[in-house]
Coordinates of all heavy atoms in Angstrom, one line a residue:
R430 N 25.0 -81.7 5.7 CA 25.0 -83.1 5.6 C 23.6 -83.7 5.4 O 23.4 -84.6 4.6 CB 25.5 -83.6 7.0 CG 25.6 -85.2 7.1 CD 26.3 -85.5 8.4 NE 26.2 -86.9 8.6 CZ 25.9 -87.6 9.8 NH1 25.7 -86.9 10.8 NH2 25.9 -88.9 9.8
L431 N 22.6 -83.1 6.1 CA 21.2 -83.7 6.0 C 20.6 -83.5 4.6 O 19.8 -84.3 4.2 CB 20.3 -83.0 7.0 CG 20.6 -83.2 8.5 CD1 19.7 -82.5 9.4 CD2 20.6 -84.7 8.8
R432 N 21.0 -82.4 3.9 CA 20.5 -82.2 2.6 C 20.8 -83.3 1.6 O 20.1 -83.5 0.7 CB 21.0 -80.8 2.1 CG 20.4 -79.6 2.6 CD 21.0 -78.4 1.9 NE 20.9 -77.2 2.8 CZ 19.7 -76.5 3.0 NH1 18.6 -76.9 2.4 NH2 19.8 -75.5 3.8
G433 N 21.9 -84.0 1.9 CA 22.2 -85.1 1.0 C 21.6 -86.4 1.4 O 21.9 -87.4 0.7
L434 N 20.8 -86.5 2.4 CA 20.3 -87.8 2.9 C 18.8 -88.0 2.5 O 18.0 -87.0 2.4 CB 20.4 -87.9 4.4 CG 21.9 -87.8 4.9 CD1 21.9 -87.8 6.4 CD2 22.7 -88.9 4.4
K435 N 18.4 -89.3 2.5 CA 17.1 -89.7 2.3 C 16.7 -90.6 3.4 O 17.6 -91.3 3.9 CB 16.8 -90.4 1.0 CG 17.0 -89.4 -0.2 CD 16.6 -90.1 -1.5 CE 16.7 -89.0 -2.6 NZ 16.5 -89.6 -3.9
A436 N 15.4 -90.7 3.8 CA 15.0 -91.6 4.8 C 13.9 -92.5 4.3 O 13.1 -92.1 3.5 CB 14.5 -90.8 6.1
V437 N 13.8 -93.7 4.9 CA 12.8 -94.6 4.6 C 11.6 -94.5 5.6 O 11.9 -94.5 6.8 CB 13.4 -96.1 4.6 CG1 12.3 -97.1 4.4 CG2 14.5 -96.2 3.7
H438 N 10.4 -94.4 5.2 CA 9.3 -94.3 6.1 C 8.3 -95.5 5.8 O 8.2 -96.0 4.7 CB 8.5 -93.0 5.7 CG 9.2 -91.8 5.9 ND1 8.8 -90.8 6.8 CD2 10.4 -91.3 5.4 CE1 9.7 -89.8 6.8 NE2 10.6 -90.1 5.9
N439 N 7.7 -95.9 6.9 CA 6.7 -97.0 6.8 C 5.7 -96.9 7.9 O 6.0 -96.6 9.1 CB 7.4 -98.4 6.9 CG 6.5 -99.5 6.7 OD1 6.2 -100.2 7.6 ND2 6.0 -99.7 5.5
L440 N 4.4 -97.2 7.6 CA 3.3 -97.0 8.6 C 3.6 -97.8 9.8 O 3.4 -97.4 11.0 CB 2.0 -97.4 7.9 CG 0.8 -97.5 8.9 CD1 0.6 -96.2 9.7 CD2 -0.4 -97.9 8.1
M441 N 4.1 -99.0 9.7 CA 4.1 -99.9 10.9 C 5.4 -99.9 11.6 O 5.7 -100.7 12.5 CB 3.8 -101.4 10.4 CG 2.3 -101.5 10.0 SD 1.1 -100.7 11.0 CE 1.0 -101.9 12.4
S442 N 6.3 -98.9 11.2 CA 7.6 -98.8 11.9 C 7.5 -97.7 12.9 O 6.6 -97.0 13.1 CB 8.7 -98.6 10.9 OG 8.5 -97.4 10.3

Side-chain angles (χ1 to χ4, degrees):
R430 178 176 177 222
L431 294 179
R432 283 184 205 282
L434 298 177
K435 291 186 174 170
V437 177
H438 297 239
N439 182 251
L440 170 57
M441 295 313 284
S442 65

